[in-house]
Amino acid sequence: LITGVNTERERVRLASAIEQASEAVVITSDDGTIEYVNQGLLKMLGYDSRDVIDHNITLFYSHQYEPDSLMGMQQAMAEGRTWTKRMVVHKKNGESLDVDVNMSPVRQDGGRITHYVHILRDISKESQLEAQLRQAAKMEAIGRLAGGIAHDFNNQLTVVRGYCDLLLRDLQPGDPTRECIEQMDHATKQATTLTSELLSFSRKQILKPQVVNPNQIIEDIRKSLGLVGEDIRLDLSLQQDIGNIRVDPSRLEQAVMNLAINARDAMPSGGDLAIRTANIDNAEDILSLRAMGLQGPMVMIEVEDTGLGMDAETSEQVFEPFFTTKKKGKGTGLGLSMVYGFVQQSDGYIQVDSRPGRGTSFRMYLPRVSEALDVEAPLEKTTPAEGGSETILVVEDDNTVRQLVVRVLREHGYKVIETGVPEDAPRLIEQSDTHIDLLVSDVVMPGTSGPMLARMLRQRLKFLRVLFISGYTDEKTLRREIHFAKVNFLQKPFAPEDLCRAVKQALRT
């Protein structure tokens, strides 16, 4: 096997190098019978040499997952050629492992093949990271699709809801038509919830983050968590010196509750629900976080159950919108999607670890901050939905939404200038015989976005007030400004009275 090595000293050195190599080395006869394995193989797969010597090389490989690969290996051995393949091998305890296999023939001086050398390299971590990145890319694509659908749908819901309110305003109680309109209005509100969940998944919802203590958030909903099921035992294990995080507190509460409800559904006969928090000093110390480019200190919030668990295929799809393993009518398939979107939009990462019959663990990793806890500001009195006499420039590319907004504002006494083309706004200002008091603009428009338009117009009208309206926003700068209440924003779909309140508030700021 070591033809060409002329001294015993060199033989010993070569044998020692092979024995201590980190890669697994297997030497088989020409028919695949194992004659030698190094320590790397024994450590990798957990075997003792007595377990494998004189067995066929197929002992290691998964007949369930690799029938074609095994046939390819056997064909290569029959033809006396080298062969490489990524395969799944079985450890002694039954666990599977992804490996790169390189098989090479060993020939005597006459060219006859006497043995084969198989070198196996563990690539499980690389495979895990590749799968993680593929999943992230897929979720990103689905998120863009969901966000676009929700945006367009919210425009239509704004119109339906707005005209329902206008009709109801003119219908007397007891009018048979009123009940029909009320049912339509109720349906639009249900659809609004659906689009809100889609926006949450696609990371285009408007969050209002604060610096909060995650333990306090969980303690605040302890009672609700205890009500998820009478036969569910709740265990809270919260690290005492847990760091602060900057998140939307209401969304964090919702995320924890969604995970707890998901855990309950996975334990139809009861079980244990554990919620834990822990400080992570450096995200780069955790392989999955490092792969996603996360750095610095984090806080981990884990929700673990002892339920049915999931196979790998289900785990890969569990965050996708409308994917559910529940029976029809038992769930929308958006609960975990909302959790995923919230965590991603909060600059964090969520990981699932599950196996059939062994329960499931969801871990949310959120950036730790050094700032002190925010003190919640007192609630302001609701701005009345009254009218005014100011001049408002409305810029909205959706004709039906713009027509509704213009009608409502004019009915409340405002003078309105309108356009569906952002680039026309400067010309309309120049032509206007009155001072423009307020810009009401959609955020996402072709060509010039709402924030770009506002910055451009403020070069002419320094003190121009702005109210943005949108079903969602991709504008990171605007989202950040909204987070810190630096701009006025009205989420679509909205009712006419909501529009009037938002306009009055914007004119006062």
Side-chain angles (χ1 to χ4, degrees):
L1 295 178
I2 49 176
T3 302
V5 178
N6 298 319
T7 67
E8 183 63 24
R9 189 175 184 180
E10 289 175 331
R11 290 173 184 269
V12 172
R13 186 167 55 196
L14 179 57
S16 177
I18 294 175
E19 184 66 16
Q20 297 179 48
S22 59
E23 285 83 4
V25 179
V26 183
I27 299 176
T28 71
S29 63
D30 60 347
D31 65 357
T33 301
I34 299 172
E35 295 186 0
Y36 168 83
V37 294
N38 72 340
Q39 287 298 312
L41 183 283
L42 301 180
K43 290 178 181 178
M44 180 187 292
L45 301 184
Y47 284 101
D48 185 273
S49 60
R50 292 169 295 182
D51 298 328
V52 299
I53 298 299
D54 294 332
H55 285 78
N56 193 275
I57 186 66
T58 57
L59 169 70
F60 303 136
Y61 299 110
S62 169
H63 294 268
Q64 179 181 358
Y65 298 109
E66 301 287 350
D68 294 338
S69 297
L70 285 174
M71 289 179 61
M73 176 190 290
Q74 293 164 349
Q75 182 68 28
M77 293 177 72
E79 297 174 359
R81 54 184 171 84
T82 58
W83 183 83
T84 59
K85 183 73 175 180
R86 178 171 293 189
M87 299 183 69
V88 176
V89 296
H90 282 316
K91 300 173 70 171
K92 185 177 181 179
N93 62 7
E95 294 181 7
S96 61
L97 205 64
D98 291 338
V99 296
D100 270 341
V101 181
N102 185 297
M103 183 188 75
S104 302
V106 178
R107 303 176 187 273
Q108 287 186 336
D109 291 340
R112 186 176 68 86
I113 296 175
T114 59
H115 295 82
Y116 281 91
V117 177
H118 304 249
I119 300 177
L120 287 67
R121 186 173 68 88
D122 182 2
I123 59 167
S124 294
K125 290 183 178 179
E126 290 95 325
S127 296
Q128 178 184 355
L129 293 180
E130 287 176 5
Q132 184 176 331
L133 292 173
R134 284 196 304 271
Q135 181 69 2
K138 181 176 74 171
M139 297 294 278
E140 180 69 24
I142 296 174
R144 286 196 297 269
L145 174 63
I149 292 172
H151 172 257
D152 293 340
F153 198 37
N154 272 339
N155 277 337
Q156 307 312 312
L157 288 175
T158 299
V159 175
V160 176
R161 184 177 179 185
Y163 284 111
C164 280
D165 280 13
L166 294 179
L167 288 171
L168 288 173
R169 183 186 60 186
D170 298 329
L171 292 174
Q172 298 298 318
D175 189 316
T177 306
R178 185 179 183 87
E179 182 180 355
C180 297
I181 304 299
E182 287 175 342
Q183 290 296 325
M184 291 170 58
D185 187 51
H186 178 67
T188 62
K189 290 174 182 176
Q190 288 184 317
T192 298
T193 301
L194 177 61
T195 57
S196 174
E197 291 169 344
L198 283 174
L199 289 174
S200 177
F201 165 74
S202 60
R203 307 185 301 285
K204 293 178 175 66
Q205 63 181 333
I206 299 301
L207 299 180
K208 295 183 178 179
Q210 302 174 22
V211 177
V212 299
N213 182 290
N215 287 359
Q216 188 60 54
I217 295 292
I218 294 171
E219 288 287 0
D220 288 345
I221 59 172
R222 177 193 283 265
K223 184 175 180 180
S224 298
L225 290 168
L227 298 175
V228 295
E230 295 180 355
D231 50 359
I232 304 296
R233 293 175 293 276
L234 176 64
D235 174 40
L236 298 187
S237 179
L238 310 180
Q239 184 168 326
Q240 292 302 309
D241 60 343
I242 198 70
N244 294 336
I245 55 179
R246 181 182 289 279
V247 297
D248 187 320
S250 64
R251 295 293 184 176
L252 179 58
E253 289 181 1
Q254 185 181 34
V256 174
M257 284 302 303
N258 280 348
L259 292 176
I261 291 169
N262 186 75
R264 177 203 64 192
D265 294 341
M267 298 185 288
S269 301
D272 297 324
L273 170 62
I275 299 179
R276 307 182 184 94
T277 60
N279 288 321
I280 306 297
D281 292 332
N282 191 348
E284 292 188 339
D285 294 338
I286 299 177
L287 182 63
S288 59
L289 301 185
R290 185 168 70 245
M292 302 307 294
L294 297 176
Q295 300 176 338
M298 309 285 284
V299 167
M300 186 271 290
I301 303 174
E302 180 181 28
V303 178
E304 184 179 38
D305 65 64
T306 57
L308 301 173
M310 300 178 287
D311 57 24
E313 183 178 357
T314 302
S315 295
E316 288 182 359
Q317 301 178 76
V318 73
F319 295 121
E320 295 178 12
F322 303 114
F323 176 81
T324 180
T325 58
K326 300 173 185 176
K327 295 181 180 179
K328 187 176 181 180
K330 295 297 183 180
T332 63
L334 286 170
L336 293 179
S337 299
M338 293 172 64
V339 176
Y340 175 88
F342 158 73
V343 174
Q344 291 284 314
Q345 198 169 344
S346 301
D347 298 323
Y349 178 69
I350 184 168
Q351 186 176 43
V352 58
D353 181 18
S354 184
R355 291 184 183 178
R358 298 187 183 182
T360 300
S361 170
F362 288 94
R363 299 184 189 94
M364 294 185 287
Y365 295 92
L366 297 163
R368 205 162 80 217
V369 298
S370 57
E371 293 98 317
L373 297 175
D374 283 338
V375 178
E376 189 171 352
L379 294 175
E380 298 181 358
K381 293 182 179 180
T382 302
T383 304
E386 57 189 30
S389 58
E390 292 88 349
T391 300
I392 300 174
L393 172 61
V394 175
V395 183
E396 165 63 68
D397 63 307
D398 187 290
N399 292 333
T400 54
V401 174
R402 188 176 70 256
Q403 290 169 10
L404 173 67
V405 170
V406 169
R407 173 175 173 173
V408 170
L409 293 178
R410 284 176 174 164
E411 286 183 356
H412 281 76
Y414 296 104
K415 181 179 180 181
V416 181
I417 302 171
E418 61 171 302
T419 180
V421 182
E423 291 78 10
D424 287 347
R427 177 179 56 81
L428 293 174
I429 289 179
E430 291 290 341
Q431 295 175 352
S432 175
D433 56 359
T434 60
H435 174 73
I436 304 297
D437 299 290
L438 176 68
L439 167 67
V440 176
S441 173
D442 192 10
V443 172
V444 182
M445 297 183 290
T448 303
S449 70
M452 291 172 59
L453 176 62
R455 287 191 291 269
M456 182 171 58
L457 295 184
R458 276 176 169 166
Q459 293 177 359
R460 298 169 179 247
L461 303 172
K462 184 177 180 180
F463 299 105
L464 177 67
R465 296 173 175 85
V466 179
L467 170 63
F468 289 119
I469 58 175
S470 184
Y472 82 110
T473 175
D474 268 334
E475 184 74 32
K476 291 183 180 179
T477 301
L478 175 63
R479 279 211 302 265
R480 186 165 59 249
E481 291 174 347
I482 292 171
H483 289 171
F484 293 96
K486 294 181 180 179
V487 301
N488 296 289
F489 180 82
L490 180 61
Q491 178 84 42
K492 295 177 183 177
F494 50 77
E497 63 178 18
D498 296 328
L499 173 63
C500 292
R501 288 194 182 98
V503 165
K504 183 60 66 175
Q505 180 65 31
L507 287 168
R508 290 177 177 177
T509 56

